[in-house]
Amino acid sequence: MDAQRRNLKECMVLDHVNYVYGAGTAYEKHALQDINLVLGKNEFIGLIGHTGSGKSTLIQHLNGLLQPTSGHIYYKGNDIGAKEFNKKELRSHVGLVFQYPEHQLFETTVVKDVAFGPKNMGLPQLEVDMRVFAALKEVGISEELYDASPFELSGGQKRRVAIAGVLAMRPEFLILDEPTAGLDPRGRDEILDRIAEIHAEGNRTVILVSHSMEDVAKYATRLIVMNKGNVFADGSPREVFELYRELEEIGLAAPQVTYLSERLREAGVALAQNATTLAEARELLLADWKGGSR
Amino acid sequence: MKKNMLRTENLVFEYIRRDEEGNVESINKALDDVSLEVSRGEFVAILGHNGSGKSTAAKHMNALLSPTEGNVFVNEMNTKDEALLWEIRKSAGMVFQNPDNQIIASVVEEDVAFGPENIGIPTKDIWKRVEDSLEAVGMTAYRTHSPNRLSGGQKQRVAIAGIMAMRPDCIVLDEPTAMLDPAGRKEVLRTLHELNKNEGVTILLITHYMDEVIDADRVIVMDSGKAVMQGTPREVFSQVKRLKEYRLEVPQVTELAYELKQAGVPLPDGILTVDEFTQAYLQAKNKCYYDV
Amino acid sequence: MIRDITIGQYYPVDSPIHRLDPRVKLSATMLYLVSLFVFSGYLGYVLAIAFVAVCVKLSRVPFRYIVRGLKPVLMLLIITLLFNIFLTKQGTELASFWIFHIYDEGLITAALMGLRLVLLVIGSSLMTFTTTPNQLTDGLEKGLRGLKVIHVPVHEIAMMMSIALRFIPILVEETDKIMKAQQARGADFESGKLLQRVKALIPLLVPLIVSAFRRASDLAMAMEARCYHGGEGRTKMKPLHYKKLDYVGYLVLAGYLGLVIGSSFVPFLK
């Protein structure tokens, strides 16, 4: 926490954010309730919650697509709700990749489509081109596809092109709303590995919205769990998954290996701690095995 | 002897792409010599990555596609026989991936009635069928609702009810959970198992989620248009390495057991659940303790 | 925002109006709309208001819900009012400034015109509030059955209408989503000159059309899988049979018509 607090000028700060939609109608919903969060520089955050928990509403606040009903959001110390704040510029700093992003592709070629974002930023053509190529490279789209129609690509390729479209704006905050929905295991791993690489390059906060505990446990260093418009838990994967009973009550679950470690410990196996990822479980069990069979 | 519900005989299907003049541009063999059998009352899952041919196979079971070579039999009716088309579609219903794009009516019960209406069921019987089907999927409370206000899992259950109302012997589901959240996926899977158990409906579930096939009677793995593996979930998941070659994954505990075994811990193959793992691990430890 | 549009959205409660045969409601709506334009005299207004008020009351659709349905036509209403107020140059002048002159006749015409428009919207939306799209298309299909003789594909048209109604809310939501997604990539739908604005719509329209086609092809396949093969040999879950209530409905309608026609002959209050 201290590390995050070190410089709020580099962070995204949510201060008592509330959001109510459909106020006064039969469908009124308090979608966000008094959210206070500091999203730090360089973090890899997993945002979890089931459908309707408010996580989609939350991320749309971060780039100003939705305005809080009350409360403030500060990007690098500036209130993004302020009149003089440039929202369009904010959107290039806070890149938001929606669910099924391939549904937004519209240009005749891959390159043109990826260029849409940087062009809207008013960058010179050379800079646009450079960013487009860099972004396509980052998501692993090979050069022979650059001039192909985005509609002719495979599902996984389309998705990566769409992500490149946001990456090309070089956002400091990259938010992805379930980037792996509907993909098969290989397609999913390809995307998540790319995202991890992009994060590893540095200077970028990644927020990964996901339903898969296994995925967020593997990649994220911090988990934020949303439930009914509230932040239900916020901490390292291990801290959050220790609450697996509470998570179940709100319709979520910990990764299978967490349950396994819990069960093994109940059965008398002396594991040092609960595992959150497969690799961790492997280490812990091997340590136990070697210790026990000595 | 159990009667076959679905059977394919050396099924080949080619997607032929033509240019503007109608000349053949490319031929893509989506299915390559697939021979499968599904018995009446079975719960069979087809597992495969995107583009493995599993959806193409599914569309043959409902005569939505016709084989390039080979035959497909539904209830021993050849799908090539056009005179039997409606009989075939009646006995093998189909549920698709996107719940929004298969609900036709703006009220739940009217959508469930769509199938029976098409096959000319008398009004009184339609009502009975609609009631029974909504009951079977647990959506009776929503019968007068608009589908637009339902969750993804509920919409998929309505789609299943719409098929059930045609009193099929078999339901083929083409990735019915790919667009759902975990809660919705569970909901749909539970419904399918209940239908299989209580109503005796044969289920052919196409998916790429391995955790959905653990409770199936049998698993068929498809890769590049071929059926490459068949067996009980335990048999199939015993072969972690092969599955990975087919771009598939296994449950976390199965993979963990596999990796530990590689590292020298004597665990059996095909562990599927946390309980099985715990037992096997304790046993292995005990044994080791006494051996030393 | 877009979701607030209540026009045409079925309101699911049980009421005598809901239970009426759609054909009765269709004829009633038609005749009511015509009556709004043919009657003259204050008595006509009184009758029209009374008729719709009774129907609304019977329908059990909350008044607030109906009023919200007026929102989308508010602009049209205001324009109509302004035109009538400023362009009518009869009667006594009440006020004037610069080139604008307001006459009492103008005010009266504006008020009556506005009233007619409001009644028009309420009258027609009441039908869609109380009739599911399916019933509506069933009503049309059966009511226009005669046209089949001259090879009008009545069933197909009715089916297309009901599917369109089902997908409108889905496509509206999708539009909203694509718009946001493109805004996240810096698209600007709100400023610029007309040509720029039209161009700015391409990133919205292309994905929307692509998606509509994908949905259409999915839906066609799903319908085929559920044995849909046109109107031939099709039965209905909710077939249309006239019941006692429907004959009462027709009678009331006839009564209303009689009164409206009669009212034009009443010289008093003209």
Side-chain angles (χ1 to χ4, degrees), chain C residues 173-219:
Chain C
E173 205 167 300
E174 185 140 6
T175 310
D176 190 45
K177 233 191 291 177
I178 297 172
M179 224 159 138
K180 276 183 176 166
Q182 304 297 30
Q183 277 175 326
R185 291 165 77 190
D188 189 349
F189 295 110
E190 275 129 26
S191 54
K193 292 207 182 85
L194 186 67
L195 190 68
Q196 276 173 311
R197 280 201 193 202
V198 173
K199 262 180 136 176
L201 284 180
I202 293 173
L204 173 64
L205 289 179
V206 173
L208 197 62
I209 291 167
V210 169
S211 144
F213 272 100
R214 189 180 46 236
R215 287 183 191 279
S217 111
D218 279 6
L219 189 71

Side-chain angles (χ1 to χ4, degrees), chain C residues 22-36 51 120 122-128 131 136 253:
Chain C
R23 285 169 292 178
V24 180
K25 284 186 264 189
L26 272 169
S27 338
T29 311
M30 297 289 212
L31 285 172
Y32 183 70
L33 296 190
V34 172
S35 82
L36 282 181
F51 183 71
L120 188 107
I122 293 180
S124 47
S125 53
L126 191 61
M127 179 175 68
T128 49
T131 322
L136 198 62
L253 189 61

Side-chain angles (χ1 to χ4, degrees), chain C residues 60-127:
Chain C
R60 294 181 51 207
V61 178
F63 191 65
R64 252 184 42 191
Y65 196 74
I66 293 175
V67 171
R68 264 204 303 154
L70 286 172
K71 248 195 221 161
V73 287
L74 199 64
M75 211 49 218
L76 186 70
L77 195 64
I78 292 170
I79 292 170
T80 317
L81 287 181
L82 290 180
F83 264 81
N84 275 296
I85 291 174
F86 293 119
L87 296 183
T88 312
K89 304 241 184 291
Q90 277 159 7
T92 42
E93 193 174 307
L94 294 176
S96 73
F97 53 94
W98 193 37
I99 53 165
F100 297 110
H101 306 275
I102 298 176
Y103 296 87
D104 59 347
E105 289 260 326
L107 274 187
I108 292 167
T109 339
L112 294 181
M113 214 42 209
L115 190 58
R116 270 185 214 226
L117 205 64
V118 169
L119 289 174
L120 188 107
V121 175
I122 293 180
S124 47
S125 53
L126 191 61
M127 179 175 68

Side-chain angles (χ1 to χ4, degrees), chain B residues 101 103 110-111 118 121 127, chain C residues 134 166 215 226 234-235:
Chain B
N101 298 356
I103 294 179
E110 289 178 15
D111 185 74
N118 288 335
I121 304 296
W127 280 86
Chain C
N134 261 30
R166 148 103 179 96
R215 287 183 191 279
R226 285 167 79 180
R234 228 172 161 256
T235 47

Side-chain angles (χ1 to χ4, degrees), chain A residues 223-275:
Chain A
L223 298 188
I224 298 172
V225 182
M226 299 278 300
N227 184 45
K228 291 186 182 160
N230 289 294
V231 173
F232 179 81
D234 181 0
S236 72
R238 188 178 320 285
E239 285 162 4
V240 170
F241 291 142
E242 289 301 328
L243 305 169
Y244 67 94
R245 283 193 195 88
E246 287 87 345
L247 287 176
E248 271 168 30
E249 272 165 32
I250 61 167
L252 298 168
Q256 209 180 10
V257 288
T258 307
Y259 288 97
L260 179 68
S261 3
E262 191 68 27
R263 183 68 56 82
L264 285 169
R265 288 166 83 172
E266 272 169 25
V269 179
L271 297 180
Q273 55 189 359
N274 279 353

Side-chain angles (χ1 to χ4, degrees), chain B:
Chain B
M1 194 188 90
K2 265 190 182 171
K3 225 176 106 192
N4 277 328
M5 181 65 233
L6 301 169
R7 181 160 63 93
T8 70
E9 253 178 23
N10 309 100
L11 170 60
V12 174
F13 185 77
E14 289 168 346
Y15 278 110
I16 301 173
R17 242 173 88 165
R18 292 173 195 278
D19 60 14
E20 278 112 58
E21 278 101 54
N23 303 315
V24 176
E25 221 173 37
S26 67
I27 297 180
N28 180 9
K29 227 175 205 180
L31 292 175
D32 187 1
D33 197 22
V34 176
S35 296
L36 303 171
E37 280 176 16
V38 176
S39 311
R40 194 170 279 273
E42 250 192 319
F43 192 120
V44 177
I46 298 188
L47 206 54
H49 63 78
N50 293 345
S52 61
K54 60 189 195 305
S55 290
T56 312
K59 285 180 189 126
H60 277 85
M61 309 297 177
N62 189 270
L64 286 171
L65 291 176
S66 192
T68 312
E69 281 168 47
N71 290 301
V72 176
F73 296 93
V74 175
N75 239 345
E76 295 307 320
M77 293 179 281
N78 193 326
T79 58
K80 280 180 180 164
D81 189 345
E82 276 180 31
L84 295 173
L85 185 64
W86 306 117
E87 277 307 309
I88 289 167
R89 289 193 179 155
K90 249 195 280 181
S91 72
M94 183 132 188
V95 175
F96 299 88
Q97 190 184 92
N98 190 330
D100 274 327
N101 298 356
Q102 54 186 318
I103 294 179
I104 289 117
S106 307
V107 179
V108 166
E109 62 177 10
E110 289 178 15
D111 185 74
V112 176
F114 181 75
E117 287 178 343
N118 288 335
I119 53 178
I121 304 296
T123 300
K124 219 178 86 199
D125 299 343
I126 296 181
W127 280 86
K128 173 96 179 75
R129 284 179 175 217
V130 168
E131 265 156 38
D132 291 350
S133 318
L134 284 173
E135 184 76 47
V137 301
M139 287 293 292
T140 309
Y142 297 89
R143 62 180 301 166
T144 57
H145 285 225
S146 154
N148 290 333
R149 297 227 170 261
L150 302 180
S151 74
Q154 290 172 330
K155 282 184 208 167
Q156 249 355 5
R157 274 152 70 199
V158 170
I160 296 171
I163 300 300
M164 282 301 289
M166 300 180 63
R167 303 258 159 98
D169 302 307
C170 165
I171 304 182
V172 180
L173 302 103
D174 188 4
E175 298 195 43
T177 56
M179 300 183 75
L180 306 184
D181 63 4
R185 282 171 52 195
K186 259 188 216 156
E187 202 177 305
V188 169
L189 257 286
R190 198 188 326 116
T191 307
L192 291 180
H193 280 285
E194 276 169 15
L195 290 180
N196 179 247
K197 224 168 274 153
N198 305 341
E199 321 274 330
V201 183
T202 310
I203 305 278
L204 183 63
L205 172 69
I206 283 112
T207 181
H208 57 237
Y209 289 117
M210 43 74 212
D211 50 340
E212 292 179 358
V213 313
I214 289 172
D215 297 320
D217 296 326
R218 206 147 54 81
V219 180
I220 297 166
V221 178
M222 288 200 61
D223 186 66
S224 350
K226 291 192 166 80
V228 288
M229 287 168 84
Q230 284 199 44
T232 61
R234 194 175 308 281
E235 284 162 7
V236 168
F237 285 128
S238 301
Q239 309 183 47
V240 177
K241 212 175 139 216
R242 251 183 102 188
L243 284 172
K244 291 207 157 178
E245 279 163 23
Y246 298 136
R247 302 181 51 171
L248 293 169
E249 60 175 7
V250 295
Q252 266 195 332
V253 284
T254 313
E255 189 161 0
L256 181 62
Y258 170 78
E259 285 187 1
L260 288 176
K261 198 181 167 193
Q262 299 286 314
V265 183
L267 290 171
D269 281 328
I271 283 176
L272 296 180
T273 64
V274 169
D275 284 333
E276 283 172 24
F277 187 103
T278 311
Q279 264 179 10
Y281 185 77
L282 291 176
Q283 249 170 32
K285 249 187 126 171
N286 267 335
K287 206 164 160 234
C288 209
Y289 189 73
Y290 288 120
D291 284 352
V292 174

Side-chain angles (χ1 to χ4, degrees), chain A residues 2-186:
Chain A
D2 286 333
Q4 286 159 21
R5 232 174 247 139
R6 87 205 132 174
N7 193 353
L8 290 182
K9 287 260 178 228
E10 290 183 333
C11 301
M12 174 90 83
V13 180
L14 283 82
D15 181 24
H16 297 285
V17 171
N18 280 280
Y19 184 70
V20 180
Y21 65 76
T25 72
Y27 305 113
E28 175 172 320
K29 201 178 164 199
H30 206 147
L32 293 179
Q33 298 179 25
D34 197 36
I35 304 287
N36 296 294
L37 284 171
V38 177
L39 309 173
K41 195 179 169 181
N42 259 336
E43 281 192 287
F44 196 130
I45 301 171
L47 182 60
I48 324 171
H50 56 75
T51 317
S53 61
K55 59 188 191 319
S56 294
T57 313
L58 178 70
I59 56 175
Q60 289 183 29
H61 275 81
L62 301 184
N63 74 346
L65 280 174
L66 292 177
Q67 279 88 45
T69 312
S70 70
H72 297 274
I73 299 170
Y74 300 92
Y75 177 72
K76 293 191 166 176
N78 298 312
D79 187 345
I80 69 172
K83 270 212 179 83
E84 63 278 8
F85 192 86
N86 186 342
K87 282 233 171 62
K88 209 170 150 184
E89 200 191 308
L90 173 73
R91 284 173 196 158
S92 66
H93 296 312
V94 183
L96 176 53
V97 180
F98 275 81
Q99 221 178 8
Y100 299 103
E102 62 273 24
H103 291 178
Q104 318 140 21
L105 300 174
F106 69 98
E107 271 290 3
T108 47
T109 69
V110 167
V111 167
K112 278 191 193 166
D113 206 293
V114 176
F116 182 65
K119 263 197 178 148
N120 283 331
M121 291 166 68
L123 297 170
Q125 188 61 40
L126 192 67
E127 175 74 16
V128 171
D129 289 344
M130 271 171 50
R131 286 182 173 214
V132 169
F133 294 135
L136 282 168
K137 208 165 198 168
E138 274 182 312
V139 297
I141 292 290
S142 57
E143 270 175 48
E144 63 264 26
L145 294 176
Y146 284 9
D147 288 319
S149 157
F151 298 103
E152 283 175 357
L153 306 180
S154 77
Q157 286 170 338
K158 274 188 200 168
R159 176 98 29 119
R160 280 183 280 150
V161 168
I163 293 175
V166 172
L167 276 179
M169 301 198 296
R170 304 243 166 109
E172 288 170 63
F173 280 73
L174 177 64
I175 309 165
L176 302 109
D177 191 359
E178 287 187 57
T180 62
L183 296 180
D184 63 17
R186 171 78 68 90

